[in-house]
Amino acid sequence: MLATAIESIETIIVDLPTIRPHKLAMHTMQNQTLVLIRVRCADGIEGIGESTTIGGLAYGNESPDSIKTNIDCHFAPLLLGQDSSNVNAAMLRLERSIRGNTFAKSGIETALLDAQGKRLGLAVSELLGGRVRDALPVAWTLASGDTAKDIAEAEKMLDLRRHRIFKLKIGAGEVSRDLAHVIAIKKALGDRASVRVDVNQAWDESVAVRACRILGANGIDLIEQPISRNNRTGMVRLNAMSPAPIMADESIESVEDAFNLAREGAASIFALKIAKNGGPRAVLRTAAIAQAAGISLYGGTMLEGGIGTLASAHAFITLDRLAWDTELFGPLLLTEDILSEPLVYRDFELHVPHTPGLGLTLDEERLAFFRRDKTSTAIHPV
């Protein structure tokens, strides 16, 4: 067996409490569930990855339970005994046999990159081409639905120097009330902060035409996925008429989606998410398509914990231009974590470590407490 062969793969479902309910158009999160992936290699190196989605199956085609089952039953047999140091070959092996499942693939790719970085003494960002910055500005989502509470929360974040970019989750309520809510917050914050909205596909095109004009006229900087991802011609029309730029999020479920959206002119900003593209390397392919087409970039999140957040950050800090910054605030939404040291948020930015791999270590006691099954589930060669 190769010295760097994959010896075992373990998937662990971890349930962590959040600081408050987090409202989206299609779901309200009461806690966050992570799928932790541990890839152990014959040379003693262990790589850590994370696959996290939102709201079970409310958001997309994968859930924590399906991610775990598919990795255990379908991914692991393809990877056990393979060379963990050849990330490209390992991921191509998965691509040839497994369709979709980008969240699961992202967690596996992250674990392999973490292992190789530790093996070579390099940060994951260096494996991805090399960082061009050490920190990333981070947005905060105001999702209580209460205007006064959201304004107070934004003011607190500004005072703490933690965030000066705010995104509002709207679409679940009556449109006029949602618009009034957003406009009131923008008026309260003024030029001290950027205010954006995420509609999570909740509007039809006729509503979106009016709403986008009102939002743009009232200083809203960005409108994320206002209509269904399936209405691509509608996205093209909205992108042409909206005074505020339109960002594609749910519309991008693969690198191929990014190419088609760019070709059609359906959005002027792309949200980059490693989970929806299939990993840190895959999301950089989407970024390259956007840059070639003159489309701006935004570093998105699936509200991952520290592992998935750092995996995204290592990819994003290799990008020359990230005009709309990032929303890598997932760990800040949690009241508990499974890392020995928390991520560093300071002066409105997330600071990315230079240490080998992702630059984190697990707190084994906390992991044991929060894991759903309480027992080892490592898959070994037969």
Side-chain angles (χ1 to χ4, degrees):
M1 181 180 285
L2 285 169
T4 53
I6 298 172
E7 279 196 331
S8 70
I9 297 174
E10 183 176 16
T11 55
I12 305 165
I13 294 180
V14 181
D15 297 303
L16 297 174
T18 54
I19 59 174
R20 54 164 165 77
H22 189 77
K23 296 181 180 180
L24 297 85
M26 80 296 288
H27 179 74
T28 298
M29 289 173 50
Q30 302 294 340
N31 57 19
Q32 181 59 303
T33 299
L34 323 178
V35 182
L36 176 67
I37 300 162
R38 308 183 81 158
V39 173
R40 298 181 177 93
C41 309
D43 57 359
I45 298 290
E46 178 182 75
I48 306 296
E50 179 189 334
S51 295
T52 294
T53 185
I54 296 172
L57 293 172
Y59 182 91
N61 298 323
E62 294 173 76
S63 69
D65 309 275
S66 72
I67 290 167
K68 175 174 172 54
T69 297
N70 286 335
I71 291 176
D72 290 351
C73 297
H74 301 284
F75 285 60
L78 291 169
L79 292 174
L80 293 174
Q82 299 299 308
D83 183 1
S84 66
S85 69
N86 192 334
V87 180
N88 191 47
M91 296 308 296
L92 284 173
R93 185 174 175 85
L94 293 180
E95 288 292 337
R96 292 188 183 111
S97 298
I98 298 173
R99 300 288 172 260
N101 287 273
T102 57
F103 286 76
K105 287 174 181 174
S106 180
I108 290 289
E109 181 172 282
T110 296
L112 292 172
L113 288 168
D114 183 45
Q116 183 67 350
K118 292 171 179 173
R119 185 175 290 118
L120 299 178
L122 295 173
V124 165
S125 56
E126 307 316 301
L127 301 181
L128 296 173
R131 67 178 65 199
V132 295
R133 57 179 65 84
D134 289 323
L136 296 162
V138 177
W140 179 251
T141 294
L142 302 170
S144 75
D146 182 291
T147 304
K149 286 183 180 178
D150 282 352
I151 291 171
E153 189 173 334
E155 293 286 4
K156 178 181 177 182
M157 295 302 173
L158 288 168
D159 289 344
L160 292 173
R161 296 184 59 80
R162 212 172 76 178
H163 306 280
R164 56 187 168 196
I165 305 165
F166 299 101
K167 188 166 81 170
L168 298 168
K169 291 286 189 178
I170 61 174
E174 195 273 325
V175 177
S176 296
R177 191 180 308 114
D178 275 350
L179 297 181
H181 172 66
V182 172
I183 292 167
I185 292 172
K186 176 58 183 174
K187 285 182 177 178
L189 299 179
D191 294 334
R192 294 177 296 149
S194 172
V195 176
R196 299 118 183 241
V197 298
D198 184 3
V199 190
N200 287 124
Q201 310 181 80
W203 293 336
D204 62 32
E205 189 177 345
S206 64
V207 169
V209 167
R210 171 179 170 271
C212 288
R213 286 180 176 144
I214 293 171
L215 290 169
N218 282 276
I220 302 309
D221 292 325
L222 177 157
I223 301 168
E224 182 175 350
Q225 200 66 51
I227 62 176
S228 169
R229 68 176 301 273
N230 297 314
N231 186 4
R232 291 236 288 263
T233 56
M235 288 282 287
V236 173
R237 289 188 288 267
L238 280 177
N239 193 44
M241 59 72 56
S242 175
I246 301 296
M247 182 164 75
D249 178 18
E250 285 92 342
S251 292
I252 305 174
E253 291 191 344
S254 66
V255 177
E256 292 77 12
D257 281 340
F259 174 80
N260 288 322
L261 290 165
R263 178 172 54 83
E264 295 163 7
S268 52
I269 307 168
F270 280 1
L272 301 176
K273 294 184 176 180
I274 62 171
K276 290 172 58 181
N277 286 262
R281 298 183 317 135
V283 86
L284 293 179
R285 293 197 289 273
T286 287
I289 290 168
Q291 289 172 322
I295 295 168
S296 298
L297 299 174
Y298 178 76
T301 181
M302 289 305 301
L303 301 179
E304 291 97 341
I307 300 164
T309 296
L310 274 185
S312 297
H314 276 285
F316 297 160
I317 62 173
T318 70
L319 294 169
D320 178 39
R321 296 179 185 174
L322 205 60
W324 292 88
D325 302 313
T326 79
E327 58 178 25
L328 297 179
F329 68 91
L332 298 174
L333 195 62
L334 304 172
T335 62
E336 305 286 349
D337 207 346
I338 54 172
L339 301 182
S340 298
E341 298 290 337
L343 275 57
V344 177
Y345 292 88
R346 185 180 65 246
D347 293 329
F348 305 112
E349 294 182 316
L350 167 63
H351 295 258
V352 185
H354 285 265
T355 42
L358 293 173
L360 54 81
T361 56
L362 294 172
D363 184 319
E364 298 292 347
E365 288 187 7
R366 298 181 73 77
L367 174 59
F369 181 82
F370 287 109
R371 65 183 293 161
R372 189 179 290 179
D373 58 18
K374 308 302 181 187
T375 58
S376 175
T377 55
I379 307 297
H380 298 269
V382 177

